[in-house]
Each structure stands twice: as C-alpha cells, then as structure tokens.
Amino acid sequence: MSWIGNVGGRLYRGEVSIEFVARRKLWFTISGLILVISLAALFGRGLNESIDFRGGSLFEFKAPHVTEQQVNSTVEQAGGGAGAIIQTVGVGSHASWEVQTTKLSAPEANRVQDAIAANLHPIGGANAISSTFNSPSWGSQISQKALEALIAFLIAIVIYLSIAFEWKMATAALVALAHDIVITVGIYALAGFQVSPATVIGLLTILGYSLYDTVVVFDKVRENTAGLLGTSRSTYSQAANLALNQTLVRSINTSLIALLPVVAILITSITLLGPGELEDLALVLFVGMLSGTYSSICIATPVLAALKEREPQYKALAKRVALRAAGGRSAQRAKARAAPGG
C-alpha cells in the first residue's frame, strides 16, 4: 500500500493535481440533478415514517415457523386493516414478529391478539403477545426537538466559523450541510427506507461528521491563501484546489475508517438481527457519510472559491496571474523560435 503514500505525497507537494475547483460547474450540475430528484421524491412519495411518527398499534410475538403471508392474512381478517407493516427481528428460533397497524380500539386490538394466538400459535401463547399503542404526538415531539437542535447547531456553526475563519467559509459550510441533509432525506424517500427516531439521531450525527471534514479542508485553504494577494503565483481557486489535493488522501482515509464499522453494523443488523433501531441508525450514517465526503470535497470548497473570486482584490489577482502566465508562454514561444530549426 506504499503507493497510496506516494500519491498522497505528490498531491501534497503539488506535483500532481486533480482539478476539483476548476470543475465546479460539473459538480454543481451533478449535485443539482441529485437535489432535484431528492426533492421530487420527498414531495412526491414522502417519507416512510415508522409507527413512532404515524401512530398506531404494535403487536410483538414469537412464532418462528410461520410466514409473513400467514401473519398478514391473520391480522387483516381479524380487523387489523390492510397494509400492515410486518417485520421480523432476529433469526431462527429467536425470531420474533413486529406487526404495525393503524390505530385500533381496545376491542379491535383484542380481536387481533386473539386471532394471532389462535392461528399462529406464538411461543408462550396469548399472554406472550405484546400489544402497545404509540401516539403520533410522541413522534411529533421528537421531530420538534430535532428541528430545534438542528437550528441551534447551525447557529453555533455560523458563529464559530465566522470567528475562526470568515463568514464566506461559514456560508460554504452551510451550503454543504444543506446539500447533505436534502440528499440523505431524498434517498430515504426514493428508496422507501423507514424513518424512525434512530434515523433522526443519525441524521444529526452525520452533520457533525461532514462539518469536521470541511473544517479540515478550510484550515488548509486559509493556510495556502495567507499572503496570496501580495504575489502573482496563483489565483484563490488554484490555492484552494491545492489545499483540497493536500487533504484529499486524509479525507478519503478518514471516511473509509469511519465507514468500516458502520458497514459492519449494517450487515450484522440486516443478516442477523433483522429490521430495527440499529439498522435504521447504521443506514442513515452510511448514506450521510458518503454524501458528506462528497460535499466536503466537491461542494464546500468550490462554493467558497466562487464566493471569494467575486471580491475585487481576487479578481485583480486573477488578472495578474493570467498576465504572468501569458508572458511566460510568450517567452517560451520566443525561445523556441530562436533555437536552431525553430
């Protein structure tokens, strides 16, 4: 794996370079298309909210030798309604069923419970069937608290970045965060993944992860652009692109190391534990981390460069750099003509 270190060293020294900032129109177009699809899925299909947000009745029991079709038929014929959400938790003899229905009255819930006991023969009999009702008000409280936490988080980020760096870096970081939120939520709407309280917790978690990677890049950008106006070596975009290349290997390595345990948890929860809070948390972390890595490289710094290049002093710097480059090319052409056979 030494070649990774060699590539990282060459990127850091500027011997090779990947043009991220210069291709910002391409990244913005790709992200724009993804955002449009995400918003269309969100407003068109909506989110698949769990019972914690929708409200309804939940029946839990162990019956390892029945099929999902048998469970669905039993619940529907007992008056549980069509379209019940049925999930298995665990495997083998430890597997249990979770059946989510719409809100049922006490007599209706009793009929469903009796039908499950009579037709599916759960382990432990009727007394082992757990029947609960979740109010949608609890889910709305979670949503409200999460929104309040998100607003407080964004305000704190704007204040910190404006003090530690500058307001344009804070703006670029907020654009990247909004990008991650919309894409993650859109993927959930498009794929129909269930949104549970664990999903909300994971969504707030990935914001901090995405911001961490962005701040690392911005710190290097600030270092590379210090005293830049006093020279004619490079434009702000070129210095920012160098910073991206210098931190690229670190960003990729950090993302891979963070994703490995998340993937392990996701695979374990899908293959062994079945649907549940652990799978919901790992899934949103996986989607959000991928989106956060992309946005910190292809969105945050290009947005910052676009904002800075609008400033008069950096416009003048870009002209000086262009004139210097044009003079260098003219000298090279003159030297070539003066050479024998030129």
Side-chain angles (χ1 to χ4, degrees):
M1 299 295 288
S2 61
W3 66 273
I4 297 180
N6 294 333
V7 171
R10 297 185 66 190
L11 286 171
Y12 191 88
R13 293 188 296 270
E15 297 173 3
V16 294
S17 178
I18 303 173
E19 292 295 338
F20 291 108
V21 176
R23 294 176 179 151
R24 55 177 173 257
K25 290 184 178 179
L26 172 63
W27 311 129
F28 294 166
T29 301
I30 294 174
S31 293
L33 291 174
I34 297 175
L35 290 173
V36 169
I37 295 173
S38 299
L39 291 173
L42 178 61
F43 291 108
R45 298 186 59 178
L47 294 172
N48 177 23
E49 298 177 335
S50 69
I51 192 173
D52 303 293
F53 296 99
R54 293 183 290 103
S57 298
L58 176 66
F59 300 90
E60 298 178 88
F61 57 93
K62 286 187 177 182
H65 303 297
V66 300
T67 63
E68 181 176 336
Q69 184 178 1
Q70 291 175 309
V71 175
N72 184 64
S73 176
T74 298
V75 172
E76 184 175 352
Q77 293 177 4
I85 300 176
I86 302 173
Q87 297 178 331
T88 56
V89 179
V91 293
S93 59
H94 300 287
S96 61
W97 294 90
E98 289 185 355
V99 182
Q100 301 177 17
T101 68
T102 56
K103 180 182 178 181
L104 302 177
S105 63
E108 290 173 335
N110 290 333
R111 284 198 298 270
V112 172
Q113 191 168 347
D114 292 340
I116 292 174
N119 299 333
L120 303 180
H121 309 291
I123 298 175
N127 294 330
I129 302 174
S130 172
S131 175
T132 58
F133 169 72
N134 287 352
S135 171
S137 61
W138 188 71
S140 64
Q141 291 176 2
I142 293 177
S143 301
Q144 182 180 355
K145 295 298 182 182
L147 181 59
E148 293 174 358
L150 177 61
I151 294 174
F153 174 79
L154 295 179
I155 293 175
I157 290 308
V158 170
I159 295 174
Y160 168 75
L161 291 180
S162 298
I163 295 175
F165 297 98
E166 59 173 298
W167 71 267
K168 289 184 178 178
M169 286 189 175
T171 301
L174 286 180
V175 170
L177 287 178
H179 171 275
D180 296 341
I181 293 174
V182 174
I183 287 182
T184 303
V185 174
I187 290 176
Y188 262 73
L190 190 63
F193 297 141
Q194 182 174 265
V195 178
S196 68
T199 306
V200 178
I201 295 172
L203 185 63
L204 295 176
T205 303
I206 63 174
L207 297 183
Y209 173 84
S210 174
L211 187 67
Y212 164 78
D213 214 14
T214 301
V215 168
V216 169
V217 178
F218 280 179
D219 188 62
K220 194 62 181 176
V221 171
R222 180 176 61 177
E223 178 183 331
N224 287 1
T225 56
L228 187 65
L229 292 172
T231 68
S232 299
R233 296 192 307 269
S234 63
T235 65
Y236 190 95
S237 293
Q238 291 169 344
N241 191 75
L242 176 60
L244 264 178
N245 281 270
Q246 290 174 328
T247 57
L248 180 62
V249 173
R250 174 178 177 174
S251 297
I252 294 176
N253 287 340
T254 302
S255 300
L256 288 177
I257 294 301
L259 280 172
L260 286 176
V262 172
V263 171
I265 294 173
L266 186 60
I267 293 175
T268 302
S269 60
I270 291 175
T271 58
L272 298 179
L273 303 178
E277 297 293 317
L278 192 60
E279 179 185 346
D280 296 338
L281 179 60
L283 184 60
V284 71
L285 289 176
F286 179 78
V287 175
M289 284 183 178
L290 288 179
S291 176
T293 302
Y294 168 77
S295 67
S296 64
I297 296 173
C298 299
I299 301 299
T301 306
V303 168
L304 172 63
L307 293 174
K308 296 294 290 185
E309 292 284 6
R310 295 175 180 269
E311 297 181 7
Q313 62 268 33
Y314 287 109
K315 286 183 178 180
L317 174 63
K319 291 181 179 179
R320 295 200 305 270
V321 173
L323 288 174
R324 181 181 179 183
R329 288 193 295 268
S330 298
Q332 289 177 352
R333 287 195 295 268
K335 184 177 180 180
R337 286 195 298 267

